[in-house]
Amino acid sequence: MIVKALREGLGRVIVFGSFLTRPKRVTRSSEEQQAVNERAAKMSLYQFYACPFCVLVRREMHRLNLPIVTRDAQNNTPYRQELLSEGGNIQVPCLRIDGGDKPVWMYESKEIIRFLKESFEPQSPSH
Ligand SMILES: N[C@@H](CCC(=O)N[C@@H](CS)C(=O)NCC(=O)O)C(=O)O
């Protein structure tokens, strides 16, 4: 109980520190950003608000200017049940990618960040 509260408190300090040191967003032409938005609309991040690994992924989403919706999987929400029954595990962050035959559930912050960089890093030096 105390450990859980301490972890949550520390997580919130990390969220605040991350907010203060947020990276600058990349910029794109409006056509490019529109195309990015359409791809991002097929993704959702299952997360806990104060999880440090989720903070890292959200920072990257911010930097890459990705409007990926976030889903609360911490509290007793339908998203938590979905993460367990469809993703297979209650572990966050988990990026859900729709649009194929069936959703892809990508776990592990490092893998998610690598995927986002590979998919959305602007190729031209426009930032
Ligand atoms: N190696 C994982 C670690 C993720 C991790 O430990 N997440 C914790 C929250 S910070 C979790 O999902 N815990 C499951 C739970 O509390 O039920 C990553 O980098 O994504």
Side-chain angles (χ1 to χ4, degrees), residues 48 51-53 90-93 108-109:
F48 298 174
C51 156
F53 304 99
I90 299 282
Q91 182 184 294
V92 292
E108 290 300 326
S109 54

Side-chain angles (χ1 to χ4, degrees), residues 18-83:
S18 175
F19 173 76
L20 294 179
T21 59
R22 273 193 307 183
K24 197 165 167 268
R25 286 184 195 272
V26 302
T27 54
R28 304 180 178 90
S29 68
S30 55
E31 293 80 13
E32 283 170 338
Q33 187 61 48
Q34 182 59 36
V36 163
N37 292 352
E38 282 167 21
R39 290 171 68 199
K42 298 196 174 91
M43 299 175 190
S44 40
L45 184 75
Y46 288 64
Q47 59 139 25
F48 298 174
Y49 176 69
C51 156
F53 304 99
C54 302
V55 170
L56 290 175
V57 174
R58 294 202 306 265
R59 274 177 84 83
E60 194 59 14
M61 284 163 41
H62 172 85
R63 187 183 72 78
L64 290 170
N65 211 347
L66 305 176
I68 295 176
V69 71
T70 56
R71 305 293 196 202
D72 173 17
Q74 183 163 22
N75 300 300
N76 196 14
T77 63
Y79 298 121
R80 186 177 174 88
Q81 294 314 314
E82 230 170 60
L83 181 62

Side-chain angles (χ1 to χ4, degrees), residues 61 64 66 112-121:
M61 284 163 41
L64 290 170
L66 305 176
I112 297 169
I113 290 170
R114 186 180 332 118
F115 168 76
L116 294 178
K117 279 187 206 289
E118 285 172 4
S119 306
F120 296 108
E121 191 78 66

